[in-house]
Every structure is written in structure tokens, then in C-alpha cells.
Amino acid sequence: MNSTIAELKAYVEQALVAAFGADLAGTDPMLNPASNPKFGDYQSNVALALAKKLGQPPRAIAEQIVQQLEVSHICEPPTVAGPGFINLELKTSYIEAQLKAIQADPRLGVAPVEQPKRIIVDYPSPNIAKEMHVGHLRPAVIGDCIARMLEFVGHDVLRISHVGDWGTPFGMLIAYLREAYPDALTTTNQLDLGDLSSFYRQAKKRFDEDENFREAARLSVVELQAGDEKTLKAWKIVCQLSSRSYRKIYDLLGISADILERGESFYNPFLPEIVEELDRLGLLVEDNGAQCVFLDGFTNKEGKPLPLIVQKSDGGYNYATTDLAAIRYRVQTDKIQRVIYPVGAEQTNHFTQIFQVGRRAGWITDEVEFIHAPFGLVLGEGGQKLKTRSGEAIRLQELLNEAIARARADLETRLKEEERQETEEFIAHAAEVVGISAVKYADLSQNRTSNYIFSYDKMLALQGNTAPYMLYAYVRVQGISRKGGIDFKQLGADCPIVLQDETELALAKHVLQFDEILSAIDLDLLPNRLCQYLFELSQKFNQFYDRCPVLQADEPLRTSRLVLSNLTAQTIKLGLSLLGIPVLERM
Ligand code: ARG
């Protein structure tokens, strides 16, 4: 199925050519959803944009376009408003037919993209020599959502976690492993090293209290970089311990299991080549013993170009060198067409710089797109960085546990009020779904480029743009089916859709805009668009449901309304699944 907006754009373009000649073929029809329902459903501003070129007043241009515009099977007669806007209002019969067409479609009318791309989403990419804290939330949640949406619209998505699995921070952990678990290096059995956070804490304690331990840690780094076999083995054990414990949290968060871990260490063998190649290309300059590429457009206070160091004066490589190797590998070996890095905004300069060097080196060509999709910080209620009372970053596990506990308390009170007898198993499951979804949704519903304030009260509220509100709208529809003994899947394919009330027409139109939202996200990678869409959908459903009887309506309205309710629920369910959020049948 073709989306309505794409179809209307094509008709406006044809009308332009018919009115003003073939010169105008390919003109952007500037057609968008109307800013206000007063102006219909869609509005084209193309007449205003063409006034200068055609030397005519925009209103006259608009009139001529409208005369040639043949959309009577989709819209009411087009009108010209104000200085020359063309307003289009969808016909009710058209909307009814569109709903009918998607009634049994699991993709709800969203056609897969015509030109699927091979895309890498680089996430969640944590530095695994660190304890998991609140800073690990956004890359996981946002990265997962972007990957899900791109996959759903039809792209071939590769999820790659560029884990920080190399370098100095591992020294402390390796030294601690050797000291506390000397057997780890000789046995082939998997040792129980306890949970990662106590392992970190103890290692850190030793590091802080003992000078000899610090020396051992430093030495471990040297041995690791020299490729000493025993040290490599210890490093691997620490990496596995980290990966396993990170995975546990990702599972709790519902992050795709289909992530390829290709950490920084993977690129170690390529680093010397990268520097050699930059040298061969004439991009390398030695500066104070370090090998650098001088950047265009980056200057220091004195106006001198800034260097990007790719090899330090001691011969070591760094984060940037590794990322350059990853760029080259992704283009040349993975044959990728688009790479998306959902990474904090504080790394904006890093990405601008490595993309620039990648382009100058010829690795990034016009056929590939490298995109940093930045996000802001998670802040505490006072607007400061989210920390524990003792000033440490809050551990992610604790943050999630708290959300689940609060969701549970709320569920229990409500269930008691309604005197429902739910099993402990159901309550535990529902609390986890609501708690985790609330955290994820609160994150995704903000424009990702801004910071946001983490508030359990807000994210768990049943009212507002929250996960519980959305989950509840879905539950409400399931309630209709339970109450009426209706099996939504059995609703006749031949029953007509009848849109009578204003609220049901508004709801139906909104349901049909789902694909437009997904196309927009394919371009700008802003999940909050989908949240906003789902929020408005739930609101429109509630308005419809408050006003229109469903089970009590006469046929054919009754079945039509059941179909519309079910399509709403299916859209919420699919939309939430793209955010990485499951639904509940009851709550
Ligand atoms: N490990 C990095 C960090 O935690 C993020 C890596 C992002 N991906 C990349 N290719 N640089 O800051």
C-alpha cells in the first residue's frame, strides 16, 4: 500500500507540470500534514515557494494548481486559503476504505522501504571495565529503539556493540583477578567470580589502599599491551564476566539479544595500518612526537588548526585510532551503507573529527552515511547529574529495581480497590513490565538531544505521556473484547467501516498516519516522534470511547467500532514494540 501523503505529493507534482509545464517536474510539492485540523488534513505551500520563479502572485498559482489537481477519489474539493496555501481534506469514504485495507495486515499498512539499506547501529557500546550505572541507560534504550524501527521499515540492520574492552582501566581488574582468584588462570572451568559489582568494588578498594597493588595494576597494562599470554587470559576472563553481567541488565531492559560484540580490541591488529595509510595519503603530521592529522575547521584559542592524535608519542594508539579502524572496516569489509552512533552529545567533537578524517582518507565516500545521533544527560530532580547521596553515579540495577518496586506498589493498591484476585506471578510480571517500560518510555519520549529529569513519579503516572497511560489504553481495548466476548481476529472482513462521529473520524485518520511517522524517523532518528504519535493516538481513542458506545451500538456501527478499536490497540502494540516495550493484557 502506498502512503496517502506520498500519493498526494505525486498528484500535486503532476498538477504542477500540467499547469506550468515540464520544467516543474521534480519540484518538491511541499505537502505536509496540516498544522491545524481547521485547515483540513494536508497543506501544500508550494505556490508560495514558486511565486518568484513564475512571476505570479502565489494565490493565482495555487488556483491554477488546484484546477489541475485530480484527487477527487481521495479528497474533498481542494481549497486555496490565505496567501496561497492549498488545503486538502480526506474524504470519509477514502478513510473508511483505507482502514478496511489494513484491517488484517500485521504491518498495519506500513510498506517496507523500496530501497533497503545495510545499516550498522553502534550500540550500546559501554566501557566494560566500569560498573554499570545510569549513564549506560540511554545508549542501550535509544540504540535499541532506533535499530528496531529501521529493521521494521525494512532495512538490513546490524547491531554492533563497540565495547570499550581494552586499555588502562583493565589493569586494576586483572591485578585483582590474579590476587583474589589465582586459580582462574590455570583452570579451564568457569569460576564463580561473584557478581561484577562486588568484584569491581573490591578491586577498587585494593587499588585505593595499597601502593604495591597499584604497581601490579600498572604492570598488567604493560603486559596486556605487549600481548603476554597469561595477562591476555586474565583480561578475557574479566571481559566475559563484564559481558555476562551487562547482558543480564540488557535482558531485564528488553534489549535485543541479537547484538554482535565487536569491541575496541578487535581493531588492535589494524591500528598500525591505519596510521601508515594516513601517512601514505599525506595526511599525517608529527607534532611533539605524536602522529596527528590536522583538522579543518577546528582551531585552538590562537586560531591554529587542532590536531587529532592517532598515535601518541609513546607509540600507543587511542580511542580515535580505533574508531578510524572501525570506520574503514565497516565500509570495506561490512560493506555498510549507513552507520548510526547513538552516543552522548559530549562526544560530538570526537565524531565530527573522525568522520572528517574518514572522508579525507577516502574511506567514507558519498555512497555511505556516517551519523552521530547524540543524546543529552539523565538529570536528578534538582537538575544536577543523577547521583547517589554519597555522590556516586547511580547503579543501573538499583534504578530499575526501584522503578519495579514502585510500579508494584501502585498495581497492588489498584488491584485491591477493584477486588481482583491476581496471582503473585501475574503481579510480579506486570510490575516488571510497567516499571521497566516507564523508565524506557520516559527516556524515549524526550527529544533525545536534550537532557531530561529522571522522575519516578512522572514516569509512573497513569496520566500524561507515559508508558502506563499507553499500556492502559491498550488494556482498555482488551477489556472491550473480554466484556463483549469478542474475538477481534474473527471480526468480519466483509463488514463495512462506518465513520460517523467526529471523534471516530479523528481516531481513524490518526491510525492511518502511522507509516508517515515511521518514514520521518527513518530520516531524523527521533524516537520521541513515535511516542508523541502513540500518546495522541491513546488520547484520541479515549475521546472516542468516552463518547461513542461500542458494544451497545447498533450494527453496522458496532462491528465497525470494534474494528477501529482493535486497529488502535494493534497500532499501540506495534508502536510500543518498536520502542522495545511489551504490552499487558490486564493491568
Ligand atoms: N565506549 C564508548 C563510551 O562509553 C562509546 C563508544 C561509542 N561507539 C564508538 N564507535 N565510538 O563512551
Side-chain angles (χ1 to χ4, degrees):
M1 205 173 88
N2 220 336
S3 83
T4 302
I5 193 163
E7 213 168 315
L8 288 175
K9 278 183 182 171
Y11 284 120
V12 174
E13 209 189 313
Q14 279 168 26
L16 275 170
V17 171
F20 302 105
D23 266 13
L24 291 192
T27 306
D28 176 359
M30 301 184 68
L31 186 84
N32 285 300
S35 50
N36 184 327
K38 264 205 325 246
F39 306 131
D41 298 308
Y42 295 97
Q43 173 176 321
S44 164
N45 297 348
V46 71
L48 286 86
L50 287 176
K52 213 167 177 189
K53 178 167 175 174
L54 296 172
Q56 295 184 31
R59 252 198 102 92
I61 298 174
E63 303 283 1
Q64 293 167 74
I65 297 173
V66 163
Q67 266 174 27
Q68 300 293 338
L69 191 57
E70 188 29 61
V71 288
S72 59
H73 58 302
I74 302 180
C75 301
E76 301 294 345
T79 55
V80 176
F85 304 122
I86 300 170
N87 292 338
L88 300 172
E89 189 182 339
L90 299 175
K91 273 189 172 158
T92 302
S93 58
Y94 173 80
I95 298 164
E96 290 167 346
Q98 295 288 99
L99 282 185
K100 197 74 221 159
I102 64 169
Q103 186 184 333
D105 177 6
R107 295 185 59 89
L108 299 174
V110 182
V113 280
E114 275 161 28
Q115 288 167 326
K117 288 189 174 154
R118 208 171 141 68
I119 303 180
I120 286 179
V121 184
D122 178 318
Y123 86 100
S125 310
N127 294 330
I128 58 172
K130 268 196 201 148
E131 198 169 5
M132 265 199 118
H133 56 78
V134 57
H136 291 106
L137 182 67
R138 301 207 82 184
V141 170
I142 295 173
D144 202 52
C145 174
I146 289 177
R148 283 169 192 269
M149 306 225 217
L150 296 175
E151 196 160 69
F152 178 74
V153 300
H155 297 294
D156 175 11
V157 175
L158 213 60
R159 297 161 163 87
I160 293 190
S161 188
H162 188 84
V163 288
D165 63 354
W166 195 251
T168 332
F170 281 88
M172 178 180 94
L173 299 173
I174 293 173
Y176 181 68
L177 181 78
R178 285 178 159 159
E179 182 179 278
Y181 301 90
D183 297 345
L185 296 176
T186 48
T187 171
T188 48
N189 301 334
Q190 227 181 54
L191 280 188
D192 180 10
L193 305 180
D195 73 302
L196 183 70
S197 45
S198 56
F199 189 89
Y200 282 139
R201 275 151 195 251
Q202 284 159 31
K204 178 84 170 58
K205 187 163 167 267
R206 293 289 297 126
F207 192 85
D208 290 342
E209 73 192 6
D210 186 346
E211 171 57 36
N212 291 334
F213 184 89
R214 281 198 288 278
E215 181 56 22
R218 210 188 50 77
L219 216 75
S220 297
V221 177
V222 177
E223 287 168 357
L224 180 67
Q225 267 149 1
D228 171 65
E229 225 156 277
K230 275 218 172 105
T231 315
L232 277 173
K233 183 163 181 202
W235 163 76
K236 250 187 212 142
I237 292 171
V238 175
C239 287
Q240 281 160 1
L241 175 67
S242 296
S243 287
R244 271 202 307 276
S245 93
Y246 277 66
R247 187 68 250 174
K248 251 194 224 149
I249 295 212
Y250 296 150
D251 285 344
L252 179 62
L253 274 171
I255 303 302
S256 169
D258 196 16
I259 299 177
L260 176 64
E261 225 175 66
R262 200 194 266 162
E264 295 183 4
S265 64
F266 175 87
Y267 301 97
N268 284 348
F270 307 115
L271 302 179
E273 293 167 30
I274 290 294
V275 176
E276 278 159 33
E277 194 169 332
L278 291 172
D279 192 18
R280 234 181 307 124
L281 292 164
L283 293 171
L284 213 60
V285 178
E286 191 175 316
D287 186 42
N288 284 322
Q291 302 298 326
C292 314
V293 177
F294 278 90
L295 297 156
D296 295 337
F298 285 88
T299 46
N300 63 14
K301 280 197 207 91
E302 287 85 51
K304 295 224 177 77
L306 272 184
L308 177 73
I309 298 178
V310 293
Q311 188 171 20
K312 294 179 285 186
S313 53
D314 65 5
Y317 304 100
N318 57 24
Y319 185 47
T321 329
T322 306
D323 253 330
L324 287 172
I327 288 177
R328 195 182 68 159
Y329 194 91
R330 288 165 181 187
V331 176
Q332 297 182 355
T333 309
D334 294 325
K335 306 260 186 278
I336 217 73
Q337 289 158 291
R338 204 175 177 205
V339 186
I340 297 162
Y341 300 79
V343 179
E346 68 283 356
Q347 294 196 32
T348 299
N349 277 344
H350 166 74
F351 285 108
T352 317
Q353 295 175 354
I354 60 165
F355 295 164
Q356 181 191 116
V357 174
R359 224 171 291 120
R360 285 164 64 192
W363 302 322
I364 302 181
T365 61
D366 289 345
E367 276 75 62
V368 288
E369 224 183 330
F370 277 73
I371 304 164
H372 173 213
F375 47 78
L377 301 169
V378 183
L379 302 177
E381 303 251 13
Q384 76 295 12
K385 240 181 156 170
L386 197 60
K387 291 214 170 95
T388 61
R389 259 185 227 144
S390 57
E392 300 157 56
I394 290 186
R395 290 203 281 151
L396 194 45
Q397 182 73 58
E398 276 161 26
L399 188 98
L400 298 176
N401 289 348
E402 174 77 16
I404 295 170
R406 290 190 188 216
R408 184 180 176 110
D410 175 61
L411 273 169
E412 279 172 346
T413 350
R414 270 187 307 115
L415 292 176
K416 230 179 253 151
E417 279 164 13
E418 294 173 21
E419 291 183 1
R420 293 210 308 230
Q421 305 287 320
E422 306 284 3
T423 60
E424 163 55 27
E425 197 185 350
F426 173 81
I427 295 178
H429 170 69
E432 191 173 307
V433 169
V434 174
I436 299 287
S437 304
V439 172
K440 290 175 84 168
Y441 192 92
D443 194 299
L444 293 167
S445 59
Q446 306 290 323
N447 182 314
R448 64 168 157 71
T449 57
S450 0
N451 300 339
Y452 74 92
I453 291 182
F454 190 94
S455 156
Y456 288 114
D457 288 340
K458 272 206 191 113
M459 67 179 66
L460 285 162
L462 262 178
Q463 289 304 325
N465 190 6
T466 65
Y469 181 74
M470 232 65 64
L471 291 170
Y472 199 70
Y474 179 84
V475 164
R476 238 181 145 184
V477 180
Q478 303 318 306
I480 303 177
S481 104
R482 272 195 296 276
K483 196 164 157 215
I486 310 279
D487 179 359
F488 281 134
K489 289 198 199 75
Q490 299 300 321
L491 289 175
D494 36 286
C495 63
I497 301 277
V498 194
L499 302 172
Q500 211 175 58
D501 193 80
E502 206 185 306
T503 56
E504 82 189 320
L505 192 64
L507 174 61
K509 285 179 182 176
H510 203 78
V511 166
L512 292 171
Q513 280 160 12
F514 187 48
D515 63 343
E516 290 169 22
I517 297 299
L518 295 183
S519 319
I521 300 178
D522 191 358
L523 297 176
D524 62 21
L525 308 170
L526 291 172
N528 61 302
R529 280 181 187 278
L530 179 55
C531 297
Q532 186 63 32
Y533 168 82
L534 292 174
F535 179 47
E536 287 169 19
L537 181 67
S538 304
Q539 281 179 318
K540 288 188 169 143
F541 174 76
N542 288 335
Q543 281 155 9
F544 153 74
Y545 195 53
D546 288 346
R547 206 156 100 167
C548 300
V550 177
L551 289 168
Q552 307 306 329
D554 295 327
E555 291 296 355
L557 265 184
R558 182 177 188 263
T559 305
S560 173
R561 286 182 176 165
L562 285 169
V563 171
L564 180 59
S565 302
N566 183 41
L567 273 173
T568 306
Q570 294 313 313
T571 308
I572 294 176
K573 184 176 179 181
L574 178 55
L576 287 178
S577 82
L578 300 180
L579 299 174
I581 294 178
V583 291
L584 288 167
E585 297 302 311
R586 286 167 296 146
M587 125 188 205

